[in-house]
Amino acid sequence: MEETDELRRFREEWKREVQNRNTKEQAAEVRSEEGHAATISATAISSTPILKSHPSSVVQKIPLESFPTYQNAGNRRQTALEFYTQAILLEEQGAHDEALALYRRAFKLDSNVDRAYHRLTLEREIGGLVNDVGALSLAAHPPSASSNAIKEGYGSMTILDDRRSVSPKAERRLRDSAPKPHLPNWISTNLFDAQPISRLQFEAETETEPVHLNKLPDELLLLVLQTILQSADTKSLERFATVSKKARVITTEQGLWRSLVQRTYIPPQLIQEPQSLLQLYGDDYRQFYIHQPRVRLDGVYIAVCHYVRTGHSENAWVHITHLITYHRYLRFLPDGTVLSFLSSDSTVSPQQVIPLLTLANAGVLGSGQRLKSLSVGRWRLHHGRGGESDGDPSLLEAGPYISIDGLSDSGQSSTVTLKYTFSMRLGLRSKPIGRWNKLDILHYSSIHIDTDEETPLPLKHERPYWFSKVKSYGSGLN
């Protein structure tokens, strides 16, 4: 249906009437708000405290006269700040309805009034902090002729009060900015400020609940933690250390970690005595255990390798490819023996293979059934930089690495003469720090027993070994 001229004129007149009515209502509302703002007492607003999130030791109050007048915003933002400040006071007094009404008026006048208010309080807080720092500096160093420039620099800042005492927040910031003793980056400096263990207490999550652990003497608690470390269960110990400050301090006791280090770092893990390297770690046995390279003996290293093989098809339009998956296993024993197993059967899971990685199945103990593709060799840990290169200078820059020699298949019959043995060089890595859970294959070769000729083997499809803990293996320590 076509629109008539009369209907079009009626619609235009109606639009104009609605626009005029809205304009008049807005003008009347602004006039009433400005008239109400003029009746607000300046003295009441001048006593308004700032938000509770700001320390009262630095800023006590923000007078109304201290609010700056913005040139671009004019009196509109000034009035909004007054409404917002009064609303804060009413909210703290419990008059939430009146505070809500003032909040609405403030945000109607200026949608960013909260940001302006918080910026003002922050500027006041920083100004008070600078004055406290200046007072501390004057107390430590009396004024001299060389300090005139500093006085002039602080002269433009407003002092909120005449106090000369340093606020707790300023004191904390000054303490944090003070120079710390030069320590290696892996040592936590927080422990050096720790209180004596006798003054620390375990605290309950709920104040009404008793903490029976506080009744246990520290000597007995250390004995319990020592028992935990007998099985090299450092994970449980560190988890207990996260309970409280006292737990963290008591788990750094050197006596706990000394016995663990002495039982762990023995040949072939470490040739020299651990005490000869302890100074490198700040004479801290815990840091020594975390950062000194070691081979994990409480589990097995597993490498999952893949490659693609082209299949055969009778149809020229169909191409078949196979994804082949195989696993490599390495288990290190404390006496320097290593067991290596290659599983090419994708249907056999690691859960089925891991229980078979024993010396009995390798035929070394003379009992049990020999497992095919299970090889036995000797391993040794080298520390790379500054240590032995094992005849290869390129390994000096590779960091800590493991050398495996004399690796041969134990599943062959005793009547068959061995012709080849295998040799491996594995880079020892830790992700994250302290785990030592990754082995990168650096070198893999076969050695002819009669001629000692070494032939490098390609490493096209090989992948890194990743450590998996096995509970049935125990701690792996003697």
Side-chain angles (χ1 to χ4, degrees):
M1 183 177 65
E2 295 182 358
E3 186 178 11
T4 61
D5 295 340
E6 184 178 359
L7 183 59
R8 189 182 299 109
R9 286 194 304 270
F10 174 77
R11 182 182 290 107
E12 291 176 356
E13 292 176 359
W14 176 73
K15 287 181 179 181
R16 285 194 298 269
E17 182 180 354
V18 172
Q19 291 176 356
N20 294 334
R21 185 187 307 167
N22 292 338
T23 303
K24 293 179 181 178
E25 290 179 356
Q26 292 178 357
E29 184 178 358
V30 171
R31 286 194 300 270
S32 63
E33 289 177 352
E34 292 179 352
H36 183 270
T39 62
I40 297 179
S41 174
T43 57
I45 300 178
S46 63
S47 61
T48 303
I50 63 169
L51 289 178
K52 293 182 180 180
S53 60
H54 299 281
S56 58
S57 60
V58 179
V59 184
Q60 295 294 338
K61 54 189 175 182
I62 300 182
L64 177 62
E65 295 79 5
S66 64
F67 285 136
T69 302
Y70 299 88
Q71 292 181 343
N72 297 334
N75 294 330
R76 193 176 184 87
R77 173 165 292 184
Q78 181 73 17
T79 305
L81 282 171
E82 295 171 358
F83 283 141
Y84 191 84
T85 307
Q86 185 69 13
I88 293 177
L89 177 61
L90 293 175
E91 183 180 2
E92 292 180 351
Q93 294 176 353
H96 298 289
D97 294 337
E98 293 81 356
L100 181 60
L102 288 178
Y103 278 133
R104 287 175 177 172
R105 290 190 177 186
F107 280 101
K108 263 189 179 180
L109 293 175
D110 186 357
S111 59
N112 295 323
V113 63
D114 56 335
R115 298 182 181 179
Y117 180 84
H118 289 292
R119 184 174 61 184
L120 284 175
T121 56
L122 183 61
E123 290 175 357
R124 296 287 178 174
E125 181 182 351
I126 294 175
L129 179 61
V130 171
N131 292 327
D132 288 338
V133 174
L136 182 63
S137 301
L138 290 175
H141 305 283
S144 61
S146 60
S147 62
N148 293 333
I150 301 179
K151 290 182 179 179
E152 294 176 359
Y154 287 143
S156 59
M157 298 184 181
T158 304
I159 301 178
L160 296 182
D161 50 31
D162 295 328
R163 293 172 302 158
R164 285 294 178 262
S165 61
V166 182
S167 65
K169 188 170 184 179
E171 184 180 356
R172 184 169 60 254
R173 292 189 180 182
L174 290 173
R175 184 176 65 250
D176 296 341
S177 61
K180 298 292 189 302
H182 178 69
L183 296 170
N185 55 4
W186 39 262
I187 294 181
S188 174
T189 58
N190 294 332
L191 294 178
F192 289 89
D193 299 331
Q195 301 176 11
I197 297 180
S198 59
R199 298 183 181 179
L200 298 176
Q201 296 290 330
F202 294 100
E203 298 179 359
E205 185 176 1
T206 304
E207 296 181 357
T208 58
E209 296 180 355
V211 183
H212 301 290
L213 194 58
N214 286 326
K215 300 179 181 179
L216 186 68
D218 295 334
E219 293 78 10
L220 290 181
L221 183 58
L222 285 171
L223 185 59
V224 173
L225 299 179
Q226 182 68 42
T227 305
I228 294 177
L229 279 186
Q230 286 294 329
S231 59
D233 190 5
T234 57
K235 184 176 181 180
S236 298
L237 185 70
E238 292 299 320
R239 187 177 298 172
F240 169 73
T242 60
V243 171
S244 65
K245 185 177 182 179
K246 180 175 181 178
R248 167 50 66 193
V249 173
I250 203 170
T251 53
T252 58
E253 176 66 28
Q254 294 299 296
L256 292 174
W257 297 91
R258 184 186 298 110
S259 60
L260 179 61
V261 168
Q262 292 174 351
R263 290 188 300 125
T264 302
Y265 290 94
I266 58 176
Q269 292 272 22
L270 188 64
I271 304 302
Q272 63 265 44
E273 291 292 330
Q275 287 76 8
S276 62
L277 301 176
L278 189 61
Q279 189 176 4
L280 300 176
Y281 303 97
D283 294 329
D284 192 327
Y285 281 97
R286 178 175 175 270
Q287 297 297 334
F288 185 98
Y289 185 81
I290 293 174
H291 298 277
Q292 179 66 24
R294 69 182 184 278
V295 179
R296 299 288 298 272
L297 308 178
D298 55 342
V300 59
Y301 291 88
I302 305 176
V304 183
C305 308
H306 307 276
Y307 69 92
V308 177
R309 186 182 66 186
T310 304
H312 176 72
S313 175
E314 297 179 356
N315 190 340
W317 297 95
V318 177
H319 297 278
I320 299 177
T321 56
H322 301 277
L323 177 63
I324 308 301
T325 301
Y326 62 96
H327 296 77
R328 287 186 177 273
Y329 301 85
L330 283 176
R331 181 188 177 185
F332 297 91
L333 301 178
D335 61 351
T337 304
V338 59
L339 303 178
S340 176
F341 182 70
L342 173 63
S343 174
S344 58
D345 189 355
S346 59
T347 61
V348 179
S349 64
Q351 288 79 3
Q352 297 172 302
V353 174
I354 288 176
L356 303 177
L357 299 178
T358 61
L359 290 175
N361 290 330
V364 177
L365 301 180
S367 61
Q369 183 179 2
R370 291 186 177 182
L371 187 64
K372 187 178 179 181
S373 300
L374 180 59
S375 303
V376 181
R378 303 292 298 178
W379 69 272
R380 181 181 173 186
L381 177 60
H382 305 263
H383 297 281
R385 296 183 178 89
E388 303 176 11
S389 62
D390 199 34
D392 190 352
S394 62
L395 294 177
L396 281 173
E397 298 300 326
Y401 69 95
I402 304 171
S403 62
I404 299 178
D405 299 308
L407 201 60
S408 59
D409 188 359
S410 63
Q412 295 184 1
S413 175
S414 58
T415 59
V416 179
T417 304
L418 292 177
K419 294 183 179 180
Y420 294 93
T421 60
F422 297 90
S423 174
M424 299 179 68
R425 300 294 180 268
L426 304 167
L428 181 60
R429 307 291 180 262
S430 182
K431 293 185 178 181
I433 295 176
R435 297 288 183 86
W436 304 109
N437 54 354
K438 183 182 179 183
L439 297 178
D440 294 324
I441 301 180
L442 305 177
H443 182 73
Y444 191 25
S445 61
S446 63
I447 301 174
H448 196 281
I449 296 179
D450 296 334
T451 62
D452 288 337
E453 181 182 358
E454 184 175 1
T455 304
L457 300 178
L459 302 174
K460 185 177 181 181
H461 306 297
E462 303 302 327
R463 293 293 181 268
Y465 290 84
W466 289 95
F467 180 79
S468 179
K469 183 178 176 62
V470 181
K471 291 185 178 180
S472 62
Y473 290 174
S475 64
L477 303 179
N478 293 326

